[in-house]
Amino acid sequence: MKHEIEFLIIGQGIGGILIAFELWKMGKSFLVIDDGSEKAASLAAGAILNPVNLNKWHLFEDQKTNWNISLKTYHELEFLLKERFLIPLKFYFFPENDFKKIPEEIPFVSKPDQKDINMVSEIFNNPGDALEISDVYRVDIHRLKSAWKKFLSQKGIYIQTDFHFSDCAFKNNSVEYGGYIFQKIIFAEGARGIANPYFHDLPFIRNLGNVLHLKIENMPREIGFHSDKEKLIPMGEGRFWFGSNYEWSFNELLPDIRWQNECFDILKRRLKIPFQITEHFVAERPTTIGQKPIMIQSKEHPELYMFNGLGTRGFTVAPVLAKEFYGKYFGNKQVE
Ligand SMILES: Cc1cc2nc3c(=O)[nH]c(=O)nc-3n(C[C@H](O)[C@H](O)[C@H](O)COP(=O)(O)OP(=O)(O)OC[C@H]3O[C@@H](n4cnc5c(N)ncnc54)[C@H](O)[C@@H]3O)c2cc1C
């Protein structure tokens, strides 16, 4: 007799984790499968939550609606997992010469106060240009993912393996897979969702980001900055993340050396202290036309759902969208 479970979730990037968390809170039975790939967008990301759109000098449109829900959800997860992974940053912005005129007043943006100015002067060239952005956080996704994996593994509901579509058998409004019977499968595969054989004509557009990892010994632990495009984000223990760019046309996932050289120049210009590039890699963002998330149910196989297309700000929007997704498809069947 095969074991029956209500949900199977494929993928444990930030999308899959937050969907699984919603199911957990609602007391649903579920199993998750993730292949443990280090190339997943969530693991490659700067994973920053920033309320201000610095390119347009205004708050992100969803700032009011999404922001508090996102922070609250991450805090709830921290509480459940007894692990701290939402890290507040001291985050500075250095507008370059040709940057749009800065408005007189904008929420979350101010000149660094007197007690910070000495520290800023020791680290950065032209410290007088610095603006401080408040309420910026980094989600330490490596810590979150490993704590979540441990939590679910202890309950026997996390399997690290590749999901094979050809092994699915559709029977009586359910799907047999790997010796189990599932009522529903939720695909949260990130950029690999483009090749999902059960969902067609999805509005994905491929997008690649280059990332540098740096070692900066003398940089205080939780300081980051934003130049016109790239961001420096602390990863702990003197390690930093620097990126990223947006490539819309590419055939292979290869690092762009010209971009690395440009970044080297930005870092040289901006930092007074020595830095060392330790790694250069690329990752694909799960982006869509019009930056709209994909939250759908298959017409052909109504047991199948997709949660994807989280785009460039996945870490801010995923907590809210995971709730919306749950409410839309499973909400009326909440808590038994
Ligand atoms: C360079 C870069 C920088 C970014 N910076 C930020 C940022 O600062 N802030 C922000 O909010 N967002 C940022 N993003 C966007 C953010 O990373 C994404 O929106 C988000 O991570 C997408 O999460 P996801 O769970 O949908 O996909 P993913 O993180 O890709 O997760 C999908 C998971 O499913 C697994 N999987 C797929 N297929 C299978 C299968 N068949 N079997 C088993 N497992 C499978 C994958 O291996 C992976 O673990 C950035 C993205 C990139 C690439």
Side-chain angles (χ1 to χ4, degrees):
M1 180 89 174
K2 290 194 168 133
H3 186 43
E4 284 195 33
I5 301 180
E6 192 169 354
F7 291 90
L8 172 64
I9 305 174
I10 309 303
Q12 290 291 278
I14 195 62
I17 291 175
L18 288 160
I19 288 291
F21 184 45
E22 287 304 311
L23 298 182
W24 172 262
K25 286 189 290 188
M26 296 300 168
K28 301 290 182 187
S29 67
F30 66 91
L31 178 76
V32 302
I33 288 182
D34 183 80
D35 61 2
S37 167
E38 287 292 318
K39 292 185 180 145
S42 300
L43 296 182
I48 196 169
L49 313 180
N50 171 14
V52 191
N53 182 343
L54 294 169
N55 294 320
K56 297 193 176 145
W57 277 130
H58 59 57
L59 299 184
F60 282 107
E61 278 167 25
D62 57 10
Q63 198 277 332
K64 279 204 181 85
T65 44
N66 286 354
W67 194 253
N68 291 339
I69 297 174
S70 291
L71 294 186
K72 185 166 171 277
T73 306
Y74 288 122
H75 283 309
E76 284 169 1
L77 254 173
E78 285 188 320
F79 185 74
L80 176 70
L81 302 177
K82 301 184 179 56
E83 185 73 75
R84 187 168 166 254
F85 55 78
L86 189 63
I87 318 286
L89 302 185
K90 265 210 162 295
F91 203 65
Y92 296 100
F93 180 51
F94 291 92
E96 301 279 337
N97 288 340
D98 52 355
F99 203 76
K100 258 179 146 171
K101 193 173 175 310
I102 302 164
E104 287 282 294
E105 217 174 280
I106 171 161
F108 301 100
V109 180
S110 61
K111 280 274 173 201
D113 59 25
Q114 204 51 46
K115 74 175 167 33
D116 285 340
I117 206 81
N118 292 343
M119 182 260 299
V120 172
S121 313
E122 277 172 26
I123 300 168
F124 298 111
N125 290 314
N126 304 326
D129 294 350
L131 294 170
E132 185 172 347
I133 318 296
S134 61
D135 278 39
V136 176
Y137 295 85
R138 172 175 76 92
V139 177
D140 187 335
I141 179 64
H142 290 266
R143 194 179 284 184
L144 163 58
K145 185 164 174 171
S146 78
W148 182 241
K149 180 178 170 183
K150 188 172 161 205
F151 178 78
L152 297 185
S153 299
Q154 282 165 350
K155 289 155 182 59
I157 54 174
Y158 192 111
I159 302 178
Q160 184 164 319
T161 185
D162 209 1
F163 175 82
H164 296 286
F165 294 93
S166 53
D167 294 345
C168 282
F170 294 90
K171 283 184 190 156
N172 307 326
N173 302 324
S174 56
V175 191
E176 283 188 23
Y177 184 85
Y180 298 93
I181 298 173
F182 298 98
Q183 286 170 28
K184 301 168 186 75
I185 301 185
I186 301 172
F187 291 98
E189 314 143 277
R192 281 171 64 188
I194 202 165
N196 188 311
Y198 297 121
F199 292 87
H200 306 286
D201 303 323
L202 297 171
F204 278 114
I205 28 171
R206 297 187 69 195
N207 178 271
L208 188 75
N210 277 256
V211 176
L212 298 178
H213 279 179
L214 309 174
K215 192 100 187 131
I216 316 180
E217 301 285 359
N218 300 327
M219 188 87 155
R221 292 177 80 192
E222 301 305 353
I223 292 219
F225 80 82
H226 198 309
S227 69
D228 273 10
K229 293 190 191 108
E230 276 73 21
K231 298 181 269 282
L232 181 83
I233 300 171
M235 310 284 282
E237 294 159 11
R239 294 172 306 119
F240 288 80
W241 181 101
F242 195 70
S244 178
N245 63 344
Y246 297 83
E247 280 181 38
W248 300 97
S249 173
F250 55 91
N251 294 320
E252 291 178 281
L253 303 184
L254 288 177
D256 177 349
I257 299 302
R258 204 178 56 182
W259 175 84
Q260 185 190 128
N261 291 335
E262 283 166 16
C263 290
F264 185 83
D265 291 344
I266 295 171
L267 287 158
K268 266 286 203 221
R269 194 165 68 240
R270 190 54 61 205
L271 292 176
K272 271 185 181 165
I273 51 182
F275 63 90
Q276 189 196 342
I277 297 175
T278 55
E279 202 182 350
H280 179 181
F281 60 95
V282 291
E284 257 191 276
R285 297 179 180 88
T287 37
T288 61
I289 297 162
Q291 293 259 16
K292 294 257 188 320
I294 299 172
M295 307 203 289
I296 49 175
Q297 180 177 18
S298 163
K299 288 198 175 79
E300 198 183 336
H301 295 293
E303 310 86 346
L304 306 183
Y305 299 80
M306 182 177 275
F307 183 71
N308 209 321
L310 297 178
T312 56
R313 296 177 61 244
F315 283 82
T316 303
V317 298
V320 181
L321 295 177
K323 280 182 210 303
E324 260 180 46
F325 180 79
Y326 184 91
K328 178 171 176 184
Y329 292 113
F330 320 118
N332 54 354
K333 296 172 205 149
Q334 280 177 24
V335 205
E336 270 94 50

